[in-house]
Structures are given as structure tokens and as C-alpha cells.
Amino acid sequence: MSKARNGSSRRFSATSRKALALAAAIYSLGVGATRAADLSVAPPPPPVDAPPSLPPAPAGVFGADMPAAGRLTFSVGAQFSNLSHSLLGTQGVSSQQLVATVPWYWNPAASKLRLIPQNIAIASQGGSLAYGVTNDISIVVATGMIEKNLDMLTFKGASGITPLGMSFTGTEGMTDSALAGIWRVYQDPINRIQINLGMSFPTGGTDDTFTLLQPNGSYATSRAFYSMQPGSGTFDVMPGIVYAGALERWSWGLSYRARLPLGVNPEGWMY
């Protein structure tokens, strides 16, 4: 009896050890699966509120908006302007007053002024690339296209105030191009001040022509007036300063930018 009980005990002990090992393994698997499940459904950390972005500065305030470091931005814009009426000094005058009193440039002794501009419409489209060297320094390259349309009134003969007819002519082409650097020298949560220094390059034409009705009824083609040319023909230094501000959805700005020719162009004039 004694031997039988010992053998049963040994068999029971071995079976118990296997059962306990199996239970431990199942428990380990269950705990691991539970932990994995817990990890898979763990809620993400709460998002960090990003600082609000500033609204863009008003259009036309050069250098107010600067890209972040390493970022390249491209922008396009259009400008439209119109010139009309005539002045002698600060006095407004009519076309008839001009042709009756002002000598003709080409022959002042024998003739009065015979062609009077009535209106000049100017439309330009420009594009610029800005690159942020650092958060406070950026580089801007800009160029564009321009179109100038002229309405010219011609008076008959060498003198008198009798209108002969109108000429509708104009010029168009590439504008001068510019390269500028911008440096932010001050900024607080609302205000910022930036200075810029650039250079204008004479990529626009200065010898475009137009065709005008002459006092004798013929038409002549000649080089357009300097104010009608697409470009300046000169290398110009362009320093400037900008103040801009923003508060919530409102923005404002003020800029000054000089354009200082380094000399006359090949035609002998400069703006």
C-alpha cells in the first residue's frame, strides 16, 4: 500500500506541475494581450494649441510679410492706374489753352503745341519669389509685365484750336526687375519694423515706338515718350522701411521705398 500511495503522489505532483505551468502560460498570454489591447486603445495626448497666424499685410506694403526660415513663397499682383487732365505748374488747363499758348518743342518760333494727351491708362502684373534665409531675414526677386495705353488729341495746322482727330496707341513689355533683402529689426505681439535694401535692373525696354496723328493729317511712328516706356533703362538703388501691425483679423501697414538712379540711361534721361 505504501508503494502504491507513493507512486500516485509522484504522478499527482507531476500532473499538478504541468497544470500549474499551463495555467501560468495562459495567464501570461492573457496579461500580455490585455496590455497590448490597452496600448492599442490608449487615447492620444491632447493637442497643443498652435499660435494663431497673423493676417496678411495690406496689398502694396512691400516687405511687410516675410516667409519663415527655409520657406519659399510665390505671389502675384496687379496694379491699375490712370492719368488725365493737364497742369501748368499747379494750375489746371484745358487742351485748347495749351495749343493756344505753349510753343511746339520742335519748332517754338513757328508753331504752337499741337498734340495733347487726354488719358493714359496703365495696367501692370507682377510676380515675386520670397525666400526666408532666417525668420528675420528674407530675399525677394520680382519682375512683371506692363501695358500703357495713350489717348492723344491732335489739333489741325500749325496754330489754332481746331481739333483734327484722336490717336489711340500705346506700349507694352517687361518691366524692370528687382532684387531686395529684408531684415526684421523689431517685433512684438502686435507691431513689427523691417528695413529693406534692393537693386533695380533695366530689363524693361526704353525704345518702344508708337504711331500718332500729325497736324497735317498724316501718321508718324516715333519713339514713345519716356513716360510711356515700359522700363527706366537705369540701375537704381532702392532702400526702404516698413511698419506693419496685426491684431486678431485686422492688419495695417505703411512703407516707404526710394528709387535712386545711379546714372542716366543710354538715351540720356532718367526718372
Side-chain angles (χ1 to χ4, degrees), residues 9-241:
S9 298
R10 285 195 296 270
R11 286 195 298 269
F12 176 77
S13 299
T15 302
S16 299
R17 286 195 297 271
K18 291 180 180 179
L20 290 174
L22 180 59
I26 294 174
Y27 176 79
S28 299
L29 289 174
V31 171
T34 302
R35 290 177 178 173
D38 291 340
L39 290 175
S40 65
V41 298
V48 178
D49 293 336
S53 59
L54 295 176
V61 183
F62 175 81
D65 293 326
M66 299 174 62
R71 185 176 180 185
L72 181 68
T73 62
F74 174 69
S75 61
V76 294
Q79 291 185 344
F80 303 92
S81 59
N82 199 84
L83 309 173
S84 58
H85 306 295
S86 298
L87 296 174
L88 279 178
T90 58
Q91 180 67 38
V93 293
S94 67
S95 299
Q96 286 74 16
Q97 286 177 287
L98 290 173
V99 298
T101 59
V102 178
W104 179 241
Y105 176 81
W106 301 109
N107 192 0
S111 178
K112 301 297 185 183
L113 186 62
R114 310 314 294 156
L115 280 74
I116 308 297
Q118 303 297 298
N119 188 76
I120 299 176
I122 304 173
S124 63
Q125 299 182 32
S128 64
L129 281 173
Y131 177 73
V133 180
T134 70
N135 287 331
D136 294 321
I137 298 176
S138 63
I139 297 174
V140 180
V141 180
T143 191
M145 301 293 294
I146 193 167
E147 180 180 343
K148 300 182 178 183
N149 293 304
L150 169 67
D151 303 340
M152 180 75 81
L153 175 60
T154 302
F155 287 82
K156 187 176 181 179
S159 61
I161 59 172
T162 303
L164 179 62
M166 292 286 297
S167 300
F168 301 97
T169 185
T171 58
E172 61 182 6
M174 187 176 180
T175 65
D176 290 346
S177 301
L179 172 65
I182 304 172
W183 176 31
R184 182 183 292 118
V185 297
Y186 173 81
Q187 182 173 17
D188 60 36
I190 296 177
N191 309 288
R192 59 191 185 275
I193 298 175
Q194 292 150 197
I195 60 175
N196 57 79
L197 179 63
M199 189 79 181
S200 174
F201 302 92
T203 54
T206 57
D207 55 2
D208 285 29
T209 61
F210 57 15
T211 301
L212 297 173
L213 175 64
Q214 302 301 301
N216 61 5
S218 65
Y219 285 86
T221 298
S222 61
R223 178 181 290 168
F225 310 141
Y226 71 87
S227 59
M228 289 292 294
Q229 296 296 338
S232 66
T234 58
F235 291 88
D236 308 331
V237 178
M238 303 176 70
I241 186 169

